[in-house]
Amino acid sequence: MKTREYVRYPVIKAAKDGDVEAINVIVSHYKYYMKKLSVIKGRDDYGNEKRTVDIELYRTLQAHLVTAIMKFKIR
């Protein structure tokens, strides 16, 4: 069974307070998930199916994640 690593509370708190390094830790934690969500299907010149990461969509997801971090409510 695969164990999941979670972002620890002190990192979330520091990111919420504007610590750039903590924000980068969280963005890095979700990097592969955002890339998976950013995959688009296409066809090459020979008609073969091709999957690529839409970098614009990936950057948009990163921006939304950072915005969500800043809006996150901590009790």
Side-chain angles (χ1 to χ4, degrees):
M1 187 162 138
K2 191 175 189 181
T3 60
R4 290 189 182 191
E5 298 265 338
Y6 295 103
V7 178
R8 303 287 181 200
Y9 177 79
V11 176
I12 295 170
K13 176 89 170 86
K16 172 71 176 148
D17 293 339
D19 183 359
V20 175
E21 190 173 324
I23 292 170
N24 288 336
V25 167
I26 295 172
V27 170
S28 177
H29 179 79
Y30 288 104
K31 175 174 62 174
Y32 296 108
Y33 180 61
M34 290 187 295
K35 281 188 178 181
K36 184 177 179 181
L37 292 175
S38 302
V39 170
I40 57 172
K41 295 179 187 177
R43 300 254 178 217
D44 63 11
D45 294 338
Y46 302 104
N48 300 318
E49 187 174 297
K50 179 176 142 182
R51 295 173 187 246
T52 57
V53 174
D54 182 347
I55 200 70
E56 188 174 329
L57 178 56
Y58 178 73
R59 298 285 182 217
T60 301
L61 288 173
Q62 279 184 327
H64 282 286
L65 177 58
V66 171
T67 302
I69 290 168
M70 294 302 157
K71 289 181 179 179
F72 192 74
K73 293 183 181 178
I74 297 177
R75 295 181 184 193

